């Protein structure tokens, strides 16, 4: 049984005791260890979207539904995150600013394939891009150690890999365009 209110209370309690992602990761791992329960609790994914489950100064929880084969450009968060997959897949590419490049150009430094039941932490300074590599919707619980919508962040142009200001509206548009493409809107 996945109870959203209990999950939120557990994560709030965890960061009240420890500001790091350690105990939140354990809570997310426990939740996604039973994907069927999360699907029942949050509902079967129907369209690509970012659902706000909880948002405060110190904590944000999102239900992120990735469209089939959707990719989001490199971006940072400026706070730690924990990603727990409950259906489908996420491929994460990790990036860093090219040392000495004053325009903030990126280079890839690693990758991680996430499957259902995986719950992975991302550090405060991580820059990543995300792809759903499969032909159906992917569902993931994302928990962030801060106000995800309230901080100044960066995104990188997917073609030039040059740094720019994060544009939340553009991200929302990408999810809607993906719905239009997949007729899931
Ligand atoms: Fe992200």
């Amino acid at each position: 049984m996945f109870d959203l209110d209990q999950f939120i209370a557990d994560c709030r309690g965890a960061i009240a005791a420890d500001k790091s992602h350690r105990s939140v990761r354990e809570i997310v791992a426990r939740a996604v260890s039973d994907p069927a329960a999360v699907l029942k609790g949050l509902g079967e994914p129907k369209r690509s979207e970012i659902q706000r489950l909880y948002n405060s100064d110190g904590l944000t929880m999102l239900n992120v539904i990735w469209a089939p084969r959707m990719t989001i450009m490199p971006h940072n968060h400026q706070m730690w995150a924990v990603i727990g997959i409950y259906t489908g897949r996420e491929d994460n590419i990790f990036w860093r600013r090219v040392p000495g490049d004053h325009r903030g150009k990126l280079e890839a430094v690693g990758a991680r394939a996430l499957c259902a039941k995986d719950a992975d932490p991302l550090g405060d300074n991580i820059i990543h891009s995300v792809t759903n590599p499969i032909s159906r919707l992917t569902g993931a619980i994302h928990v962030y150690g801060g106000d995800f919508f309230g901080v100044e962040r960066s995104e990188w142009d997917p073609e030039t890999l040059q740094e720019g200001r994060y544009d939340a509206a553009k991200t929302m548009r990408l999810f809607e365009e993906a719905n239009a493409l997949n007729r899931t809107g």
Side-chain angles (χ1 to χ4, degrees):
M1 182 65 197
F2 174 79
D3 181 320
L4 179 59
D5 291 335
Q6 188 60 53
F7 177 76
I8 292 169
D10 289 349
C11 288
R12 290 181 66 186
I15 64 150
D18 171 11
K19 290 251 174 280
S20 83
H21 54 61
R22 205 165 306 128
S23 21
V24 167
R25 199 203 76 83
E26 281 169 26
I27 293 162
V28 174
R30 201 185 318 136
V32 299
S33 71
D34 187 351
V38 179
L39 281 165
K40 211 169 165 190
L42 293 179
E44 197 80 38
K46 291 193 171 55
R47 63 196 305 283
S48 75
E49 61 184 322
I50 298 176
Q51 292 174 4
R52 248 184 242 216
L53 303 176
Y54 179 81
N55 189 212
S56 72
D57 284 351
L59 193 63
T60 304
M61 298 183 206
L62 307 176
N63 181 21
V64 181
I65 314 290
W66 301 105
R69 316 243 179 237
M70 175 179 184
T71 293
I72 196 111
M73 78 294 271
H75 61 275
N76 61 12
H77 306 131
Q78 307 285 47
M79 61 189 72
W80 59 251
V82 175
I83 299 176
I85 311 290
Y86 61 89
T87 182
R89 288 256 296 102
E90 261 194 29
D91 280 336
N92 280 250
I93 296 176
F94 298 103
W95 307 81
R96 68 168 183 177
R97 290 181 175 89
V98 174
D101 186 303
H102 63 278
R103 295 160 305 168
K105 194 173 180 194
L106 291 183
E107 61 187 4
V109 287
R112 202 181 295 153
L114 301 179
C115 303
K117 300 188 180 184
D118 285 340
D120 270 30
L122 305 179
D124 295 42
N125 299 319
I126 213 83
I127 301 168
H128 74 156
S129 55
V130 183
T131 295
N132 171 9
I134 61 174
S135 55
R136 64 182 178 85
L137 295 165
T138 283
I141 297 172
H142 290 207
V143 181
Y144 301 88
D147 179 6
F148 184 79
F149 300 98
V151 298
E152 193 68 26
R153 303 192 273 130
S154 293
E155 62 182 43
W156 282 262
D157 184 281
E159 187 164 343
T160 65
L161 294 177
Q162 297 292 336
E163 186 168 4
R165 196 170 170 199
Y166 179 74
D167 180 349
K170 186 164 112 191
T171 297
M172 294 304 169
R173 268 203 313 278
L174 283 172
F175 279 78
E176 288 313 319
E177 282 167 17
N179 279 320
L181 271 172
N182 290 285
R183 298 193 175 85
T184 42

